[in-house]
């Protein structure tokens, strides 16, 4: 199945789902106070970009997501390179990593809010925590995929460990690191909005939804949800396109064509 065919089927699935929800809302199968007709939600969503408050809330969420992702990359990628280059250190730290990694980020929201009274700082800290794991694990996995013959060849010509890391290990691991970044991006928005829902003081999409819900404007709350989904989809498509363009050689070597 080609990419266009998959995209067409996906679009038909979305349209079918929207039609079912619209019918359920219009016929009263789902009370309008619980779920307004989807056409009403989409109409409100179309007007939200004109709302200055909503635009500032979106920027607040994106600021926490992007800054947290950048900080996580600066921490997790070097840490992964270090652990992947020193097997004894990697074996020593691996149990701790495997213990901390499965802990849901949202379960740490109360602790983050206690440590960082400003909700924007709490958001950024939790985004850093969430993004660090896929970046770290994929960096380790990428280093394990490096061709040992290429490293031995450079060593035979007198290159030191740092030169081998820079010339062979890091370029070989780069596609895996990019995949880790794409996975991290897909969850940053979830974490940021979750914090904003519980601590709406510094704004954000979650704060906008909380305010709309308290005013019983379910349509505005769901419209903000639509935009959150569109932003997440756009970020994933952007990272996927960049990954495909920058590392096409890796996809061809591994036989990945999708």
């Amino acid at each position: 199945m080609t990419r266009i065919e998959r995209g067409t089927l996906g679009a038909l699935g979305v349209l079918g789902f929207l039609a079912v929800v619209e019918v359920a809302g219009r016929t009263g199968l789902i009370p309008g106070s619980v779920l307004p007709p989807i056409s009403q939600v989409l109409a409100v969503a179309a007007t939200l970009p004109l709302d200055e408050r909503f635009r500032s809330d979106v920027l607040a969420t994106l600021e926490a997501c992007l800054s947290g992702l950048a900080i996580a990359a600066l921490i997790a990628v070097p840490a992964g390179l270090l652990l992947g280059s020193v097997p004894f250190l990697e074996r020593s730290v691996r149990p701790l990593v495997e213990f901390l990694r499965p802990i849901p980020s949202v379960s740490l929201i109360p602790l983050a809010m206690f440590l960082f009274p400003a909700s924007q700082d709490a958001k950024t800290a939790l985004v850093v925590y969430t993004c660090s794991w896929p970046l770290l694990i994929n960096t380790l996995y990428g280093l394990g995929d490096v061709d040992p013959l290429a490293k031995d060849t450079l060593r035979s010509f007198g290159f030191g460990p740092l030169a081998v890391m820079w010339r062979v290990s890091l370029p070989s691991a780069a596609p895996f690191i990019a995949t880790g970044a794409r996975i991290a991006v897909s969850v940053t928005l979830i974490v940021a909005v979750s914090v904003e829902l519980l601590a709406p003081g510094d704004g954000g999409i979650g704060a906008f939804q909380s305010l709309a819900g308290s005013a019983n404007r379910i349509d505005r709350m769901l419209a903000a949800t639509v935009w959150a989904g569109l932003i997440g989809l756009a970020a994933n498509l952007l990272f996927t396109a960049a990954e495909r363009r920058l590392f096409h050689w890796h996809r061809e070597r591994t036989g990945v064509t999708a």
Side-chain angles (χ1 to χ4, degrees):
M1 186 177 294
T2 65
R3 193 178 306 160
I4 295 177
E5 290 173 338
R6 289 198 302 269
T8 301
L9 288 177
L12 290 175
V14 172
L15 291 175
F17 171 76
L18 294 178
V20 170
V21 176
E22 177 72 13
V23 171
R26 292 294 180 183
T27 58
L29 185 62
I30 301 178
S33 58
V34 177
L35 181 65
I38 197 65
S39 57
Q40 178 183 340
V41 174
L42 294 178
V44 174
T47 65
L48 283 185
L50 304 177
D51 189 328
E52 183 178 357
R53 166 67 190 273
F54 181 72
R55 292 199 303 269
S56 65
D57 285 334
V58 169
L59 290 177
T61 300
L62 292 180
E63 179 185 352
C65 290
L66 294 177
S67 59
L69 179 61
I71 295 172
L74 292 175
I75 295 174
V77 174
L81 293 174
L82 176 62
L83 294 177
S85 303
V86 185
F88 171 76
L89 187 60
E90 192 272 339
R91 288 193 296 269
S92 300
V93 176
R94 173 68 72 168
L96 180 62
V97 171
E98 295 301 331
F99 171 75
L100 294 175
R101 185 165 61 94
I103 297 177
S105 300
V106 291
S107 68
L108 298 176
I109 291 178
L111 177 62
M113 293 173 61
F114 176 77
L115 296 175
F116 305 96
S119 61
Q120 191 72 8
D121 294 338
K123 276 189 295 185
T124 303
L126 280 176
V127 169
V128 170
Y129 177 86
T130 304
C131 293
S132 294
W133 299 119
L135 287 168
L136 176 64
I137 298 302
N138 277 271
T139 301
L140 290 172
Y141 187 79
L143 289 179
D145 193 62
V146 176
D147 185 3
L149 180 61
K151 295 193 292 185
D152 291 340
T153 301
L154 256 66
R155 294 191 188 102
S156 67
F157 282 98
F159 287 92
L162 291 180
V164 173
M165 173 70 70
W166 180 255
R167 293 174 180 267
V168 176
S169 299
L170 186 57
S172 297
F176 296 91
I177 297 173
T179 300
R182 176 166 55 82
I183 296 172
V185 165
S186 65
V187 295
T188 53
L189 200 62
I190 298 173
V191 174
V193 172
S194 299
V195 177
E196 292 163 354
L197 284 169
L198 295 177
D202 290 336
I205 297 176
F208 184 90
Q209 292 176 301
S210 179
L211 182 62
S214 63
N216 202 29
R217 289 296 307 272
I218 307 300
D219 53 348
R220 285 174 65 85
M221 183 178 69
L222 293 177
T225 304
V226 170
W227 274 106
L230 291 175
I231 292 171
L233 177 62
N236 184 70
L237 291 176
L238 180 62
F239 270 74
T240 300
E243 185 180 352
R244 184 180 296 115
R245 184 177 182 85
L246 293 174
F247 304 112
H248 60 88
W249 52 269
H250 182 262
R251 301 172 70 88
E252 293 169 357
R253 179 172 68 86
T254 56
V256 178
T257 57

